Amino acid sequence: MRGDCAPTLAMVAVQVGFAGLNVLSKLALDDGMSPFVMIAYRQLVATLFLSPLAFFLERKACREITRRVIIQIFFCSVFGATLNQVLYFLGLKYSTPTIACALNNMLPAITFIMAVPFRMETVGIRTLAGQAKGMGTLLCVSGSMLMTFYRGSLIKVWRSHIHWRYAEEMTSSSGNNASDQNMAVGAALVIASCLAWAVWFIIQAKMSKSFSSPYTSSALMCFMAGVQCFVIAAVVERSFSAWALGWDIRLAASLYTGLVGSGLAVSLMSWCIQKRGPLFVSMFSPLLLVIVSLLGWAILDEKLYVGSVTGSALIVGGLYSVLWGKGREIKQLRDVRQRTNGDGDDEGGTVAAVGLPLFSSPSKLPSHQVEAGQP
């Protein structure tokens, strides 16, 4: 039971950490901090945090690093750190934390679509599970399009009495959220970041089969991404003032995003991908939306509109439609494995007693079981 709960608790901790990341990052961006500089500092802090852990906990993993692993980690750094974070923080700069987190709920649908060609997921459109996954994907896409191109009227809710005065000053002084055009651009950038993140899930799942050392791979990924981000930031931001840090929200955001957003979160997500598969990791996105919505309303005095609320509902509904179909599919795969091993076999008895992880990837089963287990 402890082993079954550990990945779930790890992903809940990741989403709580990401909620704080969104709020602090938005405040730093409203304070005038460049998103390119923030990402560069984030990778630097994450590398300094992860390197000692990788050295002391996975010292022998260096012997398993091959040229293929280095190439895979490089592409993980490009898609999972550099592109993903650059696009996301640019999108956050022109939108709001709630909209950015809501659009992140497209991640399971995008991951599902991209995992099909790699035989990590099955479609089975003639089955109930396949239809649920297909319908959920359409709902996620529809909700994201609604949030991107339609704002609607303001939803009036009671005001929170615990606003952070500093946050109110930063939000009121920033004009990024006033333009509907900027909001649409921000939403489109967040969707593009989800595409990059889904690519990272696929590469990470492939790499974890041959190199299962999350701290070492995360440290190398953050180091490579740090070099890439510093080069990009140096080209875009040539003024020394853009890089200056004081005892303010910029320093807090840089440290928090590096320690929690990259150091802790990337390690936990890499470990959970290895244990349960990429879809399991992406299923926790709605929890982030709930936490950020509450923080945005309570601290940032964030406004809610009909388009964003309706789009969020469609995305969350589509997400759980995909997950319901996936859960039904995995249950049938488990039944096939039990019948294949036989009730009298020791391995079959173990499987029958313990069961397969609910959202493990079908690619971890033998190919004949995957094909036979299609609903």
Side-chain angles (χ1 to χ4, degrees):
M1 179 65 68
R2 184 181 303 174
D4 291 339
C5 293
T8 301
L9 294 177
M11 286 309 305
V12 171
V14 167
Q15 299 306 319
V16 173
F18 277 157
L21 180 148
N22 277 271
V23 174
L24 282 178
S25 299
K26 180 61 176 176
L27 292 176
L29 294 172
D30 288 345
D31 190 47
M33 186 175 189
S34 168
F36 301 100
V37 174
M38 180 189 297
I39 297 167
Y41 281 135
R42 173 178 179 173
Q43 302 305 328
L44 174 63
V45 173
T47 303
L48 295 177
F49 173 77
L50 288 171
S51 296
L53 294 178
F55 178 77
F56 289 107
L57 299 179
E58 299 173 347
R59 187 178 306 178
K60 297 181 179 179
C62 296
R63 303 173 184 175
E64 303 175 5
I65 299 177
T66 62
R67 180 181 301 179
R68 180 180 180 182
V69 171
I70 291 294
I71 295 175
Q72 289 175 329
I73 294 177
F74 171 77
F75 282 108
C76 283
S77 68
V78 172
F79 291 98
T82 303
L83 278 179
N84 171 40
Q85 293 176 20
V86 167
L87 293 171
Y88 183 81
F89 281 111
L90 283 175
L92 180 63
K93 181 179 179 65
Y94 293 112
S95 61
T96 65
T98 299
I99 289 179
C101 292
L103 290 173
N104 259 343
N105 286 328
M106 285 190 63
L107 191 57
I110 296 175
T111 304
F112 166 68
I113 293 173
M114 300 187 67
V116 170
F118 295 95
R119 297 178 59 85
M120 300 178 68
E121 297 292 338
T122 56
V123 180
I125 197 62
R126 295 183 179 180
T127 65
L128 185 59
Q131 292 170 2
K133 292 190 292 184
M135 180 60 66
T137 302
L138 290 176
L139 287 175
C140 286
V141 174
S142 301
S144 67
M145 294 298 101
L146 184 64
M147 293 186 67
T148 303
F149 299 108
Y150 177 73
R151 191 173 189 180
S153 58
L154 176 67
I155 298 177
K156 296 182 180 180
V157 295
W158 64 91
R159 290 179 56 86
S160 171
H161 298 288
I162 58 174
H163 291 323
W164 185 11
R165 183 173 299 276
Y166 178 81
E168 290 182 347
E169 293 175 356
M170 288 297 98
T171 303
S172 61
S173 63
S174 174
N176 290 330
N177 297 332
S179 172
D180 290 343
Q181 183 179 1
N182 285 344
M183 196 74 70
V185 172
L189 290 170
V190 173
I191 294 174
S193 75
C194 289
L195 289 170
W197 209 356
V199 173
W200 172 64
F201 280 159
I202 302 300
I203 300 174
Q204 182 68 37
K206 291 286 186 181
M207 184 182 66
S208 64
K209 296 179 181 180
S210 58
F211 186 73
S212 57
S213 301
Y215 294 109
T216 302
S217 61
S218 299
L220 290 174
M221 186 183 81
C222 290
F223 172 75
M224 293 180 183
V227 175
Q228 298 162 14
C229 292
F230 267 99
V231 171
I232 295 174
V235 173
V236 177
E237 302 292 346
R238 300 182 181 180
S239 174
F240 178 78
S241 59
W243 293 83
L245 295 176
W247 295 100
D248 52 14
I249 193 66
R250 300 188 183 192
L251 177 61
S254 300
L255 292 176
Y256 186 93
T257 55
L259 293 174
V260 178
S262 289
L264 181 63
V266 170
S267 297
L268 289 177
M269 286 192 298
S270 300
W271 178 74
C272 289
I273 289 174
Q274 178 184 342
K275 294 294 183 180
R276 294 292 183 90
L279 195 65
F280 174 85
V281 174
S282 61
M283 69 174 284
F284 287 85
S285 298
L287 180 60
L288 176 61
L289 173 61
V290 173
I291 298 173
V292 171
S293 298
L294 292 175
L295 290 178
W297 166 76
I299 298 177
L300 303 180
D301 193 23
E302 187 175 326
K303 302 297 188 298
L304 296 178
Y305 295 89
V306 173
S308 59
V309 172
T310 306
S312 299
L314 288 175
I315 291 174
V316 173
L319 167 69
Y320 283 109
S321 178
V322 173
L323 296 177
W324 181 87
K326 180 63 178 175
R328 183 182 178 91
E329 181 181 83
I330 293 299
K331 182 178 182 299
Q332 295 186 0
L333 287 171
R334 180 183 60 191
D335 294 340
V336 169
R337 169 174 271 189
Q338 290 175 348
R339 291 195 299 268
T340 302
N341 292 331
D343 295 334
D345 189 90
D346 291 339
E347 185 180 359
T350 303
V351 173
V354 179
L356 295 175
L358 180 60
F359 291 100
S360 62
S361 174
S363 64
K364 295 181 180 180
L365 299 175
S367 58
H368 69 277
Q369 293 184 11
V370 175
E371 295 172 358
Q374 290 182 4

